[in-house]
Amino acid sequence: MAEEARRGGAEAGAEQGPGQVYMHFVVMEDMMDKLKLMDYEEGFLKGLGFKPLSRHYFALPTNPGEQFYMFTSLAAWLINQAGKQFDQPQEYDDPNATISSILDEVRQIGAAVEFPPAKLKAGFGEHCIYVLDKLADEALRKTSFKWNRPVYPEEEMEEESAIEDDVEVTLDKAEEDMADVDEDLEEDDNFLDLEGLRNLKTKDTTETSRIEEIMESTTDANEWKLEVERVIPSLKVHIRTDNKDWRTHVDQMHQHRDGIQSALSETKGYLDKLHKEISRTLEKIMSREKYINNQLEHHLGEYRGMQDSAAEMKEQYRQASGGVTERTRSLAEITEELDKVKQEMEERGSSMTDGSPLVKIKQALQRLKVEVTQMDVRIGVVEHSLLQARLKDKNNFQKDMNESVGTFAF
């Protein structure tokens, strides 16, 4: 109900108070109370090996992966508690499929799901708390949970302890009683009048008469001793120790010092014995080490000589490998040049045995002949045209000369 009110209030916008932001914390606490009513510690936590949940576990982000797995596992357990069959989700299951299955169960119980399923992937927040709260309500309803009357434990007190508590006299209580008596006497002294003096005189006379009567006691001595023995344990005066008292501190210091000294004397013997054993063991180890060094000195010299020779061989190998690398590079260059020469030789050999160049030359000669013939024809045409032009020019010149001569004759 609190979650529905919160969701309704979120739609109202600015009309809600500032405490509406923390409403999911309250819903989370209510849900934890419901889980405790269903005894989830025994049925859920111990069965799956989870740690107890805090009251705000799903309200605050801590570890999204762990919270999501805890959310799905708790939702599956609540669905099973409600009487439905739901498989326990695993860590490597598809989260979308698991969330979809949980939301289908929530819709079946009649709860409104007005948020996208991706909101539940984080494993915390108001939407996760809303889903778990609805499932917890359904589980409580299916299990027919009812509130019973509280059963208070009965405290049985022994009669002897009760009697001792009633008759035990402490030093503080005795002082308080004496202070009360002194106050009563002071009050009587302050408010004593004439009538009180008369009553006091009569009281003194009666007390003296009673004392005189007591002087002649008729009580049996044996009974008196039995009564005294019976009452003595109940009349013990207990002095309460104050922890702030310096005497208590001094006594504690003495006790601790005595305990330390007694423990030190015993521990010192053990430590001395342990020290001796460790010293003997170290001496044995050193002597054994010296013996081993003496025995292996010759082998160590050989090993050092072999290490030196191995270092020399490595140096020679490095130098040789450097020469091999240089020669390999020069071989690669020579091989490349040889490939080029082979390619040129192949091209030349193919050109020497191939007759296509001769064919091309013949064709070119034929084209040259044809072109020469065409040029000869064109030259003849041009010469003929020049000859005709010259003849025409000559005729015209002759005609002009004849005309000019006839003109002069007139």
Side-chain angles (χ1 to χ4, degrees):
M1 296 299 291
E3 179 66 18
E4 293 177 356
R6 187 197 60 73
R7 292 172 63 83
E11 296 177 356
E15 296 180 1
Q16 297 294 332
Q20 193 67 31
V21 182
Y22 305 97
M23 194 63 192
H24 58 283
F25 288 91
V26 180
V27 180
M28 178 69 194
E29 292 184 359
D30 294 340
M31 186 194 70
M32 289 301 300
D33 293 336
K34 296 173 185 176
L35 293 177
K36 289 182 179 180
L37 291 175
M38 290 185 287
D39 195 12
Y40 87 108
E41 291 92 348
E42 296 292 334
F44 175 67
L45 296 179
K46 288 188 177 180
L48 298 176
F50 292 128
K51 296 180 179 179
L53 303 179
S54 61
R55 300 193 69 83
H56 300 147
Y57 181 79
F58 293 108
L60 298 173
T62 55
N63 188 349
E66 178 184 351
Q67 286 180 310
F68 178 75
Y69 182 59
M70 180 66 73
F71 164 71
T72 54
S73 301
L74 185 57
W77 182 74
L78 291 173
I79 293 170
N80 291 325
Q81 290 295 315
K84 298 181 180 179
Q85 186 65 29
F86 195 89
D87 296 333
Q88 177 67 28
Q90 302 298 325
E91 294 184 2
Y92 302 102
D93 291 347
D94 186 10
N96 295 321
T98 306
I99 291 172
S100 178
S101 301
I102 293 173
L103 291 179
D104 291 340
E105 297 293 337
V106 174
R107 293 188 185 95
Q108 289 180 6
I109 64 176
V113 180
E114 299 176 355
F115 53 86
K119 294 288 185 180
L120 301 179
K121 285 187 178 181
F124 67 91
E126 54 181 357
H127 305 291
C128 295
I129 296 172
Y130 171 76
V131 171
L132 293 175
D133 186 58
K134 292 299 182 184
L135 293 175
D137 291 338
E138 181 66 15
L140 286 174
R141 188 177 66 82
K142 291 293 184 179
T143 54
S144 302
F145 176 78
K146 294 181 180 180
W147 291 100
N148 298 324
R149 292 182 177 273
V151 178
Y152 299 102
E154 296 181 359
E155 298 181 358
E156 297 181 358
M157 298 179 63
E158 297 181 358
E159 295 180 358
E160 294 180 359
S161 61
I163 293 171
E164 289 180 0
D165 293 339
D166 293 336
V167 300
E168 182 180 356
V169 179
T170 60
L171 187 60
D172 297 336
K173 187 174 180 181
E175 291 177 355
E176 292 177 359
D177 295 338
M178 291 174 66
D180 294 337
V181 172
D182 293 338
E183 290 178 358
D184 294 338
L185 292 174
E186 290 177 359
E187 291 179 357
D188 293 339
D189 293 340
N190 293 331
F191 296 99
L192 191 61
D193 54 359
L194 295 176
E195 191 67 27
L197 288 173
R198 292 172 186 168
N199 295 331
L200 185 59
K201 288 180 180 180
T202 56
K203 184 176 182 181
D204 292 339
T205 55
T206 55
E207 288 181 355
T208 52
S209 63
R210 289 180 181 177
I211 290 172
E212 292 176 354
E213 292 177 357
I214 292 172
M215 292 298 289
E216 296 177 359
S217 178
T218 58
T219 304
D220 189 3
N222 295 326
E223 293 180 358
W224 178 262
K225 289 180 181 180
L226 292 174
E227 183 66 21
V228 170
E229 291 177 357
R230 188 183 67 83
V231 177
I232 279 176
S234 301
L235 296 179
K236 292 180 181 179
V237 178
H238 298 278
I239 300 175
R240 295 179 181 176
T241 58
D242 189 4
N243 293 328
K244 296 182 180 180
D245 189 6
W246 64 272
R247 296 181 183 83
T248 305
H249 293 171
V250 171
D251 293 337
Q252 290 178 355
M253 289 169 63
H254 287 300
Q255 292 176 1
H256 293 321
R257 184 191 63 183
D258 296 337
I260 290 171
Q261 289 179 353
S262 62
L264 180 61
S265 61
E266 184 179 358
T267 307
K268 189 175 181 181
Y270 292 136
L271 292 176
D272 293 337
K273 185 178 179 181
L274 182 62
H275 179 264
K276 292 178 181 179
E277 291 179 357
I278 292 173
S279 300
R280 286 197 300 270
T281 305
L282 288 175
E283 291 177 357
K284 290 180 180 179
I285 292 172
M286 292 175 66
S287 62
R288 188 65 179 172
E289 185 178 358
K290 289 180 181 178
Y291 174 75
I292 292 173
N293 290 331
N294 293 328
Q295 293 293 327
L296 298 178
E297 186 175 1
H298 177 67
H299 298 288
L300 288 173
E302 293 180 356
Y303 176 71
R304 293 190 187 95
M306 293 177 67
Q307 280 187 337
D308 295 337
S309 61
E312 293 177 358
M313 294 296 292
K314 286 182 180 178
E315 183 65 22
Q316 293 177 2
Y317 173 75
R318 186 180 62 80
Q319 294 177 0
S321 63
V324 171
T325 304
E326 183 67 24
R327 289 179 177 81
T328 304
R329 186 178 60 80
S330 61
L331 178 62
E333 293 178 356
I334 293 170
T335 304
E336 186 177 357
E337 292 178 359
L338 181 62
D339 292 337
K340 290 181 181 179
V341 172
K342 286 181 179 180
Q343 186 176 2
E344 291 178 357
M345 291 178 64
E346 288 177 358
E347 289 179 356
R348 289 180 182 180
S350 61
S351 62
M352 291 174 66
T353 56
D354 191 7
S356 58
L358 294 175
V359 175
K360 291 179 181 179
I361 291 171
K362 289 181 180 180
Q363 291 177 356
L365 289 174
Q366 291 294 331
R367 284 197 300 272
L368 286 173
K369 288 180 180 180
V370 172
E371 290 178 357
V372 167
T373 304
Q374 291 178 357
M375 290 296 295
D376 291 338
V377 172
R378 289 179 182 177
I379 290 169
V381 172
V382 171
E383 288 179 351
H384 179 72
S385 299
L386 288 173
L387 180 62
Q388 291 294 330
R390 287 178 182 177
L391 292 173
K392 188 177 179 179
D393 291 338
K394 186 176 181 180
N395 293 327
N396 291 330
F397 180 74
Q398 188 67 34
K399 187 177 179 179
D400 291 335
M401 289 294 292
N402 292 329
E403 290 178 356
S404 61
V405 170
T407 304
F408 289 135
F410 287 112

